[in-house]
Amino acid sequence: MFELHPARCNISTKMKIHAMNYINNTTTFQEALTSSAKYLMYPSNLSGFHNTETTLRRSMSGRNVFCHTGHLNLPERERLCSCGCRMHLNSSRNIYIRHLSIGEHLTCLEFPHHQLRCPSCGATKSQNIPFKAQGHMITEPLHTYTRDLLAKGTYTNKQVAEITGLGENVVKDIDKKRLQELYTTDGGTKLIKPEKQARFLGIDEFKLHNGHRYATHIIDLETGHILWIQNGKKKQVVYDFIDHVGMDWMDGIEAVACDMNSDFEEAFEEKCPWIQVVFDYFHIVKNFNDKVVSEVRKDEQRRLYEEGNIEAAKALKKTRYILTSNRSTLQKQNFVR
Ligand SMILES: [Zn+2]
């Protein structure tokens, strides 16, 4: 363990954690800070920030927050206006910036943020915060950590929000930007072509919001990667997808799985006749359940009611429930694969 006394330490941010606070709950954090005990110290990498005090607060959700108060350096070169004059401090207000968590505790920085004004030409500007992530009131290290968690692909956005202590909308924004950088060009307006040649595609529509509108997605059945999502469930979706990937890429496709009563089958046969269209497992079982099993069950139930065998008829209702759950299981398997 690396220990230094804070008074002798020349590290920009003094993140003081009293070891006793973790070993023995009888010592409060404030007591720990004012005691003569030794602290764990480590560099913060928050350029220009000087921590003068650390207090323990509570977040809205009741989590502990180590709040590092202090000040941010204002270098002389930053005060130089483009007209050549030295800018004056016009106003300042305290701001809060979220930083990396320490274990289960959240942390934040609090310091006065200055507004500068040129006495000669009247130009104004805000003090630069070198460690702040663009577009969010969080530090660059927290931003990078959040992106890394999202990139792992094993956590949902909600889980990432819980781990980092960030709001779900902030996590969603960071993820959207990350995905745009990875998969789009022209400032996020144009999707890049699939990196890998697929052999088998799956296409299906899904309901949006109120169920009156649909969207369609196309996936690579071997990798599970989503290749295309578009509003609507008509042939145009297939035409637009083929335009996007190009005929050379479509040459490598051997088969496409779709449901039995969609326009997709026709669209693929029309544009790429070499592709074998197959009906996927989920839709075959679903149709079999809806049109065969369900009808037989209703007939049988009717017959049992007529014979006065009420108990047996009710038991058949339960069977229907089991079939319904099987359908959702099948649906899950279908999309994971
Ligand atoms: Zn000026």
Side-chain angles (χ1 to χ4, degrees), residues 4 23 40 52 68 90 92 108 118 145 155 207 260 288 313 335:
L4 277 177
I23 300 163
L40 294 176
T52 49
H68 304 297
N90 196 34
S92 60
C108 80
C118 175
Y145 178 57
Y155 300 109
K207 282 179 187 172
M260 281 161 263
F288 183 74
F335 287 113

Side-chain angles (χ1 to χ4, degrees), residues 81 83 85 118 120-121:
C81 181
C83 77
C85 265
C118 175
S120 173
C121 72

Side-chain angles (χ1 to χ4, degrees), residues 112-181:
H113 186 226
H114 305 300
Q115 298 294 314
L116 305 170
R117 188 174 185 283
C118 175
S120 173
C121 72
T124 56
K125 70 171 179 181
S126 294
Q127 180 185 11
N128 176 45
I129 307 170
F131 47 78
K132 185 178 133 358
Q134 204 187 357
H136 300 287
M137 292 303 279
I138 68 174
T139 62
E140 271 295 344
L142 177 58
H143 184 256
T144 306
Y145 178 57
T146 309
R147 274 180 71 114
D148 288 350
L149 286 176
L150 290 164
K152 281 176 91 71
T154 46
Y155 300 109
T156 62
N157 283 12
K158 197 177 172 186
Q159 285 169 323
V160 173
E162 278 166 18
I163 295 168
T164 55
L166 295 174
E168 273 185 61
N169 282 340
V170 175
V171 174
K172 198 172 150 188
D173 277 353
I174 294 172
D175 199 29
K176 190 177 171 189
K177 190 139 187 294
R178 184 183 72 86
L179 293 170
Q180 273 178 341
E181 282 171 18

Side-chain angles (χ1 to χ4, degrees), residues 61-88:
S61 59
R63 289 173 73 173
N64 283 343
V65 184
F66 290 151
C67 191
H68 304 297
T69 45
H71 63 270
L72 180 64
N73 271 0
L74 180 59
E76 268 307 307
R77 65 175 181 280
E78 209 184 313
R79 296 182 72 147
L80 194 65
C81 181
S82 53
C83 77
C85 265
R86 186 174 184 268
M87 295 180 104
H88 290 177

